[in-house]
Amino acid sequence: MRILNIVMYCLPVFIFCMPVHAQQAAKEATGKALVFGQAKGNCLACHGLPGLGAELTGNAGPPLIAMQARFPDKSVLRAKIWDATATNPASFMPPFGKHGILDEGEIDQVVEFIHGL
Amino acid sequence: MRMIVVALACFIVITGTANAGPEQDRVKLLSLYKRQHPDIKFEQYADGALALDPDSLAQFRSIMEFPPFAGELEKGEKLWKAPLRSGKTYADCLPNGGRMIAGNYPLFDNTRSKVVTLEDVINDCRVANGEEAYAPGDPKTMGVLMTHVRALSDGMKMNIKVEGEGALKAFEEGKKTFYARAGQLNFSCASCHVDNVGNRMRAEVLSFAVGQATHWPVFRGGDQLVTLQKRYADCHLYMRHVPDALGSERYNNLEYFHSYLSNGLTLRANVFRR
């Protein structure tokens, strides 16, 4: 009976939390998929990413490591991905936001994933 | 006396700077590459990315011992020898019977005020002798024929000339296409083949622009025939530019500029590429 009570109490908490967890997991998976995939983000065409099983990574850009140390302000990282040529006209990096390579939501997902590296 | 001095001074300035632009561009690029990759010798630029990747170079050499595309080269020779409707052959049309000439193309034709590629010369010959022009870069017709036409110049050094106002203008147009960033990814040809030579995009090593014009057609994957301008179009497509039709004025001017950069390097047609 006691166990049943606990379950009864906990159930709403579980139900309430579940979608959030699922949503976050999906968001992370999509951010990673965009970074790894060749069709859209394709970040690894130029950037190395040690660990996480990344294969055939390029080296035309700096590796995606220590991102929080390099970009304490997440919005600076986002602006860089949106249009790197705004702050450095010679930058090789495609302007993912400005040229609509990724949509705004996709850029957010990529920023979330990369900033955690 | 004063007039003579002035005239002489003008003459020296004009002759001295006649090729200053193109030649300066080429030399400047070579010195940049020398700084980027001091160990690579001039002749190695003709090897493209293979010069920077010893494993791929070894693979290339072993494949080239028995090239899987030998059948295509035989077809090319047959096309070359077949008489045109008038009874004449390509050898009758081309300067020097077609031998040791590919390194002079593209050239700027002053009477027509435009760049003429070697494919254009072949098509002019076809039309003048009662045949229809081939589609530029078509791997089944023009491409196969070019395997033989260009091989007749194997060993020749690239020798593109830019002389006169019209030629210089065409060269500058080609240069503009080469250096202008465009397309969704915002890359120019130079983004990869000047600024990032030797770096990898995924597994592909980016090659020197100098030397790229020396070895066409190539057989990608061993059997897919690709001409130089087809490669421009593919490259533009992959980099999300809008590609031109092969043989367009823009591509001809690009080929003119791009080929000039390879001046002094040895031609070798029909090579394997991954």
Side-chain angles (χ1 to χ4, degrees), chain B residues 163-216:
Chain B
E163 291 165 345
E165 205 179 311
L168 189 61
K169 209 175 146 217
F171 178 91
E172 291 295 335
E173 284 295 318
K175 181 176 162 184
K176 206 163 82 186
T177 304
F178 185 83
Y179 281 101
R181 296 182 78 161
Q184 195 184 36
L185 299 178
N186 202 33
F187 290 144
S188 68
C189 307
S191 300
C192 289
H193 300 292
V194 174
D195 300 336
N196 277 285
V197 172
N199 286 335
R200 276 178 291 105
M201 294 278 254
R202 294 281 178 182
E204 298 303 320
V205 177
L206 298 171
S207 59
F208 303 95
V210 170
Q212 283 175 341
T214 59
H215 49 69
W216 301 87

Side-chain angles (χ1 to χ4, degrees), chain B residues 10-30:
Chain B
C10 285
F11 178 74
I12 289 167
V13 169
I14 289 166
T15 50
T17 55
N19 225 6
E23 196 51 16
Q24 241 166 29
D25 291 343
R26 190 180 72 88
V27 170
K28 231 162 102 180
L29 198 51
L30 285 175

Side-chain angles (χ1 to χ4, degrees), chain A residues 82-83 85 94-102, chain B residues 181-187 240:
Chain A
W82 201 85
D83 179 16
T85 62
F96 285 89
K98 190 182 172 195
H99 280 198
I101 303 164
L102 298 176
Chain B
R181 296 182 78 161
Q184 195 184 36
L185 299 178
N186 202 33
F187 290 144
R240 303 183 192 170

